[in-house]
Amino acid sequence: MKIIKLAGLVDIHVHFRDPGQTFKEDFHTGSVSALAGGITTVFDMPNNLIPVFKKSVLFDKFKIAGKKAVCDWGLYFGSVGDNTHEFEKVAGYVVGLKVYLSLTTGKYVVADEEKIKAIMAAWPKNKNIVFHAEGDRVDLIIKLTEKFKNKVHVTHINTRESLEKIIYAKKNKLPVTCDVTPHHLFLDNTSVKGSDRPPIETVLNFVKPPLATKRDRDFLWENLSWIDCLVSDHAPHTLAEKKSVNPPPGVPGLETMLPLMLTAVNDGRLSLKDLIRLTSVNPRKIFGLSKDDSSYVEVDTDDKYRIDNSSLLTKCGWTPFHGWEVMGRIKKVVIRNMAVFENGRILARKGSGKNVSVIT
Ligand code: DOR
Ligand code: ZN
């Protein structure tokens, strides 16, 4: 047994499906899953069934999160370009704006460059816009950031080419940051669990942006120093949905992120310092959250075990990493000096999670 203490993880990209699709997850089960994964703060995305494109929808969601969350949380506002008049009313209450430039769950894509420009012009320059951008959309965003000077964060980078573009923008001192998910680091489009099955990515591992090649993933690992944050993109869907003829994209990830990354630390793929930079220091810095020594995680870095669907607390009850051997178990989670998770048990009261959005 070797217990170490880490800063509580801040995951700036989750989908709790609440309201609208609480059969997949809700603010209680999602935040329970976060605690089980050593994550003390989550930022929830706006692509609900009724998207968070209006102030009234946002405020309804605040109430839900406030009643149910057991970890700290913040919410994003969303836009497809026709609600810029709402920005002024909501920007002070949210962690940032999320804009989809490529297709994914909810189909809230902004394709028209003029609309993207209108969004960037209207959103406050001191608040982040998180873009889902793939391929040539990354070029477009970099070009527009040069002009509009927004704080831009490109989420879930999946390819070498995308990261190279971000590196170029960073070298040119543009206000661009980025993140990567564990699934894009650990899985690729050649991962097949057994020859009798169809390629696994077409079944459970179907995600947006898609899993890329081994070459891409190697590049992401080799260039972690250019990547600012690690996010789960926790995207719960039921197993029945994932196995259907039209599976939705996304995989759950809150409970597997830290064990997978601790295993990578144990394997010498990154340092513990890097892990803390990606999961706490940078997310806090980018989103303006102050350092919080009263929220932390204790992990046993010597504990070797297999990830198992049956021990997950997420409502969807599965992970693409089922059966993987990992090293590092989350033993205890403390938020603001209160033990909220210990030895597999949730101790936090429903609604004890705090809204951490910097109200400006
Ligand atoms: O795979 C994904 N699923 N990617 C996204 O960007 C959205 C997410 C979801 O909401 O299901
Ligand atoms: Zn997402």
Coordinates of all heavy atoms in Angstrom, one line a residue, residues 13-17 21 24 45 47-48 98 100 102-106 132 134 155-156 183-184 205-210 233-237 242 248-251, ligand 1:
H13 N -15.1 18.9 -18.8 CA -15.9 18.5 -19.9 C -16.7 17.2 -19.6 O -16.1 16.1 -19.8 CB -15.0 18.2 -21.2 CG -15.7 18.0 -22.4 ND1 -15.2 18.3 -23.7 CD2 -16.9 17.4 -22.7 CE1 -16.0 18.0 -24.6 NE2 -17.1 17.4 -24.1
V14 N -17.9 17.3 -19.2 CA -18.8 16.1 -18.9 C -20.2 16.4 -19.5 O -20.6 17.5 -19.7 CB -18.9 15.8 -17.4 CG1 -17.5 15.6 -16.8 CG2 -19.7 16.8 -16.6
H15 N -20.9 15.3 -19.7 CA -22.3 15.4 -20.1 C -23.2 14.6 -19.2 O -23.2 13.4 -19.2 CB -22.5 14.7 -21.5 CG -21.6 15.4 -22.6 ND1 -22.0 16.3 -23.4 CD2 -20.3 15.1 -22.9 CE1 -21.1 16.7 -24.2 NE2 -20.0 16.0 -24.0
F16 N -23.9 15.3 -18.3 CA -24.7 14.6 -17.3 C -26.2 14.3 -17.7 O -27.0 13.7 -17.0 CB -24.7 15.3 -15.9 CG -23.4 15.0 -15.2 CD1 -23.2 15.7 -14.0 CD2 -22.5 14.1 -15.6 CE1 -22.0 15.5 -13.3 CE2 -21.3 13.9 -14.9 CZ -21.1 14.6 -13.7
R17 N -26.6 14.8 -18.9 CA -27.9 14.5 -19.5 C -29.1 14.9 -18.7 O -30.2 14.4 -18.9 CB -28.0 12.9 -19.7 CG -26.8 12.2 -20.3 CD -26.6 12.6 -21.7 NE -25.5 11.8 -22.3 CZ -24.7 12.2 -23.3 NH1 -24.9 13.4 -23.8 NH2 -23.8 11.4 -23.8
Q21 N -32.5 13.4 -20.4 CA -32.2 12.0 -20.7 C -31.6 11.4 -19.4 O -30.5 10.7 -19.4 CB -31.2 11.9 -21.8 CG -31.8 12.3 -23.1 CD -30.8 12.4 -24.2 OE1 -29.8 13.1 -24.1 NE2 -31.1 11.8 -25.4
K24 N -30.0 7.9 -18.8 CA -28.6 7.6 -19.1 C -27.7 8.0 -17.9 O -26.7 7.3 -17.6 CB -28.1 8.5 -20.3 CG -28.7 8.2 -21.6 CD -28.1 9.1 -22.7 CE -29.0 9.3 -23.9 NZ -28.4 8.7 -25.1
M45 N -21.7 20.1 -20.0 CA -21.9 20.7 -21.3 C -23.4 21.0 -21.6 O -24.3 20.4 -21.0 CB -21.4 19.7 -22.4 CG -19.9 19.6 -22.4 SD -19.3 21.2 -23.0 CE -17.5 21.0 -22.6
N47 N -25.3 20.4 -24.3 CA -26.1 19.7 -25.4 C -27.1 18.7 -24.8 O -27.2 17.5 -25.1 CB -25.1 18.9 -26.3 CG -24.3 17.8 -25.7 OD1 -24.0 17.9 -24.5 ND2 -23.9 16.8 -26.4
N48 N -27.9 19.3 -23.9 CA -29.1 18.5 -23.4 C -30.1 18.3 -24.5 O -30.0 19.0 -25.5 CB -29.7 19.2 -22.2 CG -28.7 19.2 -21.0 OD1 -27.8 20.1 -20.9 ND2 -28.9 18.3 -20.1
K98 N -19.9 26.8 -25.0 CA -19.5 25.7 -25.8 C -20.1 25.8 -27.2 O -21.3 26.0 -27.4 CB -20.0 24.4 -25.1 CG -19.8 23.1 -26.0 CD -18.3 22.7 -26.0 CE -18.0 21.5 -26.9 NZ -18.4 20.2 -26.3
Y100 N -20.2 23.8 -31.0 CA -19.9 22.6 -31.8 C -19.7 23.0 -33.3 O -20.6 23.5 -33.9 CB -21.1 21.6 -31.7 CG -21.2 21.1 -30.3 CD1 -22.1 21.7 -29.4 CD2 -20.5 19.9 -29.9 CE1 -22.2 21.2 -28.1 CE2 -20.7 19.4 -28.6 CZ -21.5 20.1 -27.7 OH -21.6 19.6 -26.4
S102 N -18.4 20.6 -35.3 CA -18.4 19.3 -36.0 C -19.6 18.5 -35.3 O -19.9 18.8 -34.2 CB -17.1 18.5 -35.8 OG -16.0 19.4 -36.2
L103 N -20.1 17.6 -36.1 CA -21.3 16.9 -35.7 C -21.1 15.9 -34.5 O -20.1 15.2 -34.5 CB -21.9 16.1 -36.9 CG -23.3 15.6 -36.8 CD1 -24.2 16.9 -36.8 CD2 -23.6 14.8 -38.0
T104 N -22.0 16.0 -33.5 CA -22.0 15.0 -32.5 C -23.4 14.9 -31.8 O -24.4 15.5 -32.3 CB -20.9 15.3 -31.4 OG1 -20.8 14.3 -30.5 CG2 -21.2 16.6 -30.7
T105 N -23.5 14.3 -30.6 CA -24.8 14.1 -29.9 C -25.5 15.5 -29.8 O -25.0 16.4 -29.3 CB -24.6 13.5 -28.5 OG1 -23.8 12.3 -28.7 CG2 -25.9 13.3 -27.8
G106 N -26.8 15.5 -30.3 CA -27.6 16.7 -30.2 C -27.6 17.4 -31.5 O -28.5 18.2 -31.8
H132 N -15.7 22.4 -30.1 CA -15.5 21.1 -30.6 C -15.2 21.3 -32.1 O -16.0 21.7 -32.9 CB -16.8 20.3 -30.5 CG -16.8 18.9 -31.1 ND1 -17.5 17.8 -30.6 CD2 -16.1 18.4 -32.2 CE1 -17.2 16.7 -31.3 NE2 -16.4 17.1 -32.3
E134 N -12.9 19.7 -35.5 CA -12.1 18.7 -36.1 C -11.6 19.1 -37.4 O -12.3 19.9 -38.1 CB -13.0 17.4 -36.2 CG -13.6 16.9 -34.9 CD -14.5 15.7 -35.2 OE1 -14.3 14.9 -36.1 OE2 -15.4 15.5 -34.3
T155 N -11.4 21.5 -27.5 CA -11.5 20.3 -26.7 C -11.3 19.0 -27.5 O -11.4 19.0 -28.7 CB -12.8 20.3 -25.9 OG1 -12.8 19.2 -24.9 CG2 -14.0 20.1 -26.8
H156 N -11.0 18.0 -26.8 CA -10.7 16.6 -27.2 C -10.0 16.5 -28.6 O -10.5 16.0 -29.6 CB -12.0 15.7 -27.2 CG -13.3 16.2 -27.7 ND1 -13.4 17.0 -28.8 CD2 -14.5 16.1 -27.2 CE1 -14.7 17.3 -29.0 NE2 -15.4 16.8 -28.0
H183 N -9.7 8.4 -23.7 CA -10.0 7.5 -24.8 C -9.1 7.7 -26.0 O -8.7 6.8 -26.7 CB -11.4 7.3 -25.1 CG -12.3 8.5 -25.2 ND1 -12.9 9.1 -24.1 CD2 -12.6 9.2 -26.3 CE1 -13.6 10.1 -24.5 NE2 -13.4 10.2 -25.8
H184 N -8.8 9.0 -26.3 CA -8.0 9.3 -27.4 C -6.5 9.0 -27.2 O -5.7 8.9 -28.1 CB -8.2 10.8 -27.9 CG -9.5 11.0 -28.5 ND1 -10.5 11.8 -27.9 CD2 -10.1 10.5 -29.6 CE1 -11.6 11.8 -28.6 NE2 -11.4 11.0 -29.7
N205 N -16.9 1.8 -28.8 CA -15.9 2.9 -28.8 C -16.2 4.0 -29.9 O -15.3 4.8 -30.2 CB -14.5 2.3 -29.1 CG -14.0 1.6 -27.9 OD1 -14.7 1.4 -26.9 ND2 -12.8 1.1 -28.0
F206 N -17.4 4.0 -30.4 CA -17.7 5.1 -31.3 C -17.8 6.4 -30.5 O -18.7 6.5 -29.7 CB -19.0 4.7 -32.0 CG -19.6 5.8 -32.8 CD1 -18.9 6.5 -33.8 CD2 -21.0 6.2 -32.7 CE1 -19.4 7.5 -34.5 CE2 -21.5 7.2 -33.4 CZ -20.7 7.8 -34.4
V207 N -17.0 7.3 -30.9 CA -17.0 8.6 -30.2 C -16.7 9.7 -31.2 O -16.3 9.5 -32.3 CB -15.8 8.7 -29.2 CG1 -16.1 7.9 -27.9 CG2 -14.5 8.4 -29.8
K208 N -17.0 10.9 -30.8 CA -16.7 12.1 -31.6 C -15.8 13.0 -30.8 O -16.1 13.3 -29.6 CB -18.0 12.9 -32.0 CG -18.9 12.1 -32.9 CD -18.4 12.1 -34.3 CE -19.4 11.5 -35.2 NZ -19.2 11.7 -36.6
P209 N -14.7 13.5 -31.3 CA -14.1 13.1 -32.6 C -13.7 11.6 -32.5 O -13.5 11.1 -31.5 CB -12.8 14.0 -32.6 CG -12.9 15.0 -31.5 CD -13.9 14.5 -30.5
P210 N -13.7 11.0 -33.7 CA -13.4 9.6 -33.7 C -12.0 9.2 -33.2 O -11.1 10.0 -33.2 CB -13.5 9.2 -35.2 CG -13.4 10.5 -36.0 CD -13.8 11.6 -35.0
D233 N -14.7 13.8 -21.0 CA -15.8 13.9 -22.0 C -16.8 12.8 -21.7 O -17.3 12.1 -22.5 CB -15.3 13.7 -23.5 CG -16.4 14.1 -24.5 OD1 -17.5 14.5 -24.0 OD2 -16.1 13.9 -25.7
H234 N -17.0 12.6 -20.4 CA -17.9 11.6 -19.9 C -19.3 11.7 -20.6 O -20.0 12.7 -20.4 CB -18.1 11.8 -18.3 CG -19.0 10.8 -17.7 ND1 -18.6 9.6 -17.4 CD2 -20.3 11.0 -17.2 CE1 -19.7 8.9 -16.8 NE2 -20.7 9.7 -16.7
A235 N -19.5 10.8 -21.5 CA -20.7 10.8 -22.4 C -21.5 9.6 -22.2 O -21.4 8.7 -23.1 CB -20.3 11.1 -23.8
P236 N -22.3 9.4 -21.1 CA -23.0 8.2 -20.9 C -24.1 7.9 -21.9 O -24.9 8.8 -22.2 CB -23.5 8.3 -19.5 CG -23.5 9.8 -19.2 CD -22.5 10.4 -20.1
H237 N -24.2 6.7 -22.4 CA -25.3 6.2 -23.2 C -25.5 4.8 -22.7 O -24.6 4.2 -22.2 CB -24.9 6.2 -24.7 CG -24.6 7.5 -25.3 ND1 -25.6 8.5 -25.6 CD2 -23.5 8.0 -25.7 CE1 -25.0 9.5 -26.1 NE2 -23.7 9.3 -26.2
K242 N -25.9 1.8 -27.4 CA -24.6 1.7 -28.1 C -24.5 0.5 -29.0 O -23.8 0.4 -30.0 CB -23.5 1.5 -27.0 CG -23.2 2.8 -26.2 CD -22.7 3.9 -27.1 CE -21.2 3.9 -27.4 NZ -20.7 5.1 -28.1
P248 N -25.3 6.1 -30.6 CA -24.8 7.5 -30.4 C -23.4 7.6 -30.0 O -22.8 6.6 -29.4 CB -25.7 8.0 -29.2 CG -26.0 6.7 -28.5 CD -26.0 5.6 -29.5
P249 N -22.7 8.6 -30.4 CA -21.2 8.7 -30.0 C -21.0 9.0 -28.6 O -21.8 9.8 -28.0 CB -20.7 9.9 -30.9 CG -21.9 10.7 -31.1 CD -23.1 9.8 -31.1
G250 N -20.0 8.5 -28.0 CA -19.6 8.8 -26.6 C -19.4 7.6 -25.8 O -20.0 6.6 -25.9
V251 N -18.5 7.8 -24.8 CA -18.2 6.8 -23.8 C -18.2 7.4 -22.4 O -17.8 8.6 -22.3 CB -16.9 6.1 -24.1 CG1 -16.9 5.2 -25.3 CG2 -15.7 7.1 -24.2
Ligands
DOR1 O1 -18.6 11.3 -28.4 C1 -19.1 12.3 -28.0 N1 -20.3 12.3 -27.3 N2 -18.6 13.5 -28.3 C2 -19.2 14.6 -28.1 O2 -18.7 15.6 -28.4 C3 -20.5 14.6 -27.4 C4 -20.7 13.4 -26.6 C5 -22.2 13.2 -26.2 O3 -22.8 14.2 -25.7 O4 -22.7 12.1 -26.3

